[in-house]
Amino acid sequence: MKKSTILRNLITILFWLLLSVTTINAADIQKGKAYLSGDFETALQEFQPLAEQGDAHAQFKLGVMYDFGEGVAEDYTQAVYWFRKAAEQGVAVAQFSLGVMYNNGDGVAEDDTQAVYWYRKAAEQGHLLAQVVLARMYNNGDGVAEDDTQAVYWYRKAAEQG
């Protein structure tokens, strides 16, 4: 399985987890159900206006839809656009997703330095996968100087989460 396929599968899992913890009121639960049931047209109609109004979680969800072509044509540039909007508002899973996009060169030029920047933002918020990927990048010297101390630090942070 390709690295990008594995990371995309992880993003999908993270999206579902984020959706489960961010659905607070009945309207949000219904919106989440539309997405989870595969009714992407309805989910798009619900997420789009919220995302355009600045709702960071709707922006992330829209990014996922563009990333996977769910209810819209697959468009990595649009995915990056929406991930960045959410990431700049501090949504860790969006920061991680943006790191993946830079890591793979999807919708942006491949740039390990930018990937590290976004992975670190997510890792500092306790995002487990970002911590593991960041540790690996320090271990391999991808986008940063090879640094065993930093690699061990981030692996430990991830391990502390179980």
Side-chain angles (χ1 to χ4, degrees), residues 18 98 150 157:
L18 178 66
L98 195 52
Q150 282 293 307
K157 292 294 263 185

Side-chain angles (χ1 to χ4, degrees), residues 9-80:
N9 290 339
L10 292 173
I11 290 171
T12 300
I13 292 166
L14 289 171
F15 172 75
W16 289 29
L17 291 173
L18 178 66
L19 189 59
S20 71
V21 298
T22 61
T23 53
I24 297 168
N25 61 44
D28 285 341
I29 290 170
Q30 287 309 110
K31 292 172 191 161
K33 284 184 180 179
Y35 180 87
L36 293 175
S37 71
D39 183 0
F40 300 127
E41 287 182 31
T42 299
L44 179 64
Q45 291 171 359
E46 293 169 342
F47 294 149
Q48 185 81 41
L50 293 172
E52 289 171 357
Q53 292 168 14
D55 182 289
H57 296 294
Q59 291 168 341
F60 168 70
K61 293 166 188 171
L62 206 51
V64 170
M65 291 178 75
Y66 276 106
D67 192 16
F68 291 95
E70 298 170 329
V72 294
E74 186 177 273
D75 185 336
Y76 294 147
T77 302
Q78 279 295 303
V80 166

Side-chain angles (χ1 to χ4, degrees), residues 4-156:
S4 61
T5 303
I6 293 168
L7 289 173
R8 286 193 197 294
N9 290 339
L10 292 173
I11 290 171
T12 300
I13 292 166
L14 289 171
F15 172 75
W16 289 29
L17 291 173
L18 178 66
L19 189 59
S20 71
V21 298
T22 61
T23 53
I24 297 168
N25 61 44
D28 285 341
I29 290 170
Q30 287 309 110
K31 292 172 191 161
K33 284 184 180 179
Y35 180 87
L36 293 175
S37 71
D39 183 0
F40 300 127
E41 287 182 31
T42 299
L44 179 64
Q45 291 171 359
E46 293 169 342
F47 294 149
Q48 185 81 41
L50 293 172
E52 289 171 357
Q53 292 168 14
D55 182 289
H57 296 294
Q59 291 168 341
F60 168 70
K61 293 166 188 171
L62 206 51
V64 170
M65 291 178 75
Y66 276 106
D67 192 16
F68 291 95
E70 298 170 329
V72 294
E74 186 177 273
D75 185 336
Y76 294 147
T77 302
Q78 279 295 303
V80 166
Y81 174 81
W82 290 111
F83 286 151
R84 184 180 310 284
K85 291 270 192 195
E88 288 172 348
Q89 292 189 64
V91 176
V93 69
Q95 294 166 339
F96 173 77
S97 299
L98 195 52
V100 170
M101 301 303 272
Y102 275 106
N103 214 173
N104 294 332
D106 293 333
V108 290
E110 188 174 319
D111 185 337
D112 285 345
T113 302
Q114 278 296 301
V116 166
Y117 173 82
W118 290 108
Y119 288 143
R120 183 185 325 281
K121 289 269 203 193
E124 288 171 349
Q125 293 191 67
H127 190 283
L128 175 66
L129 292 174
Q131 291 171 342
V132 171
V133 173
L134 186 59
R136 180 191 52 80
M137 293 186 86
Y138 273 109
N139 193 56
N140 297 334
D142 296 331
V144 289
E146 196 172 310
D147 186 333
D148 292 339
T149 302
Q150 282 293 307
V152 168
Y153 173 81
W154 289 110
Y155 280 131
R156 279 200 177 126

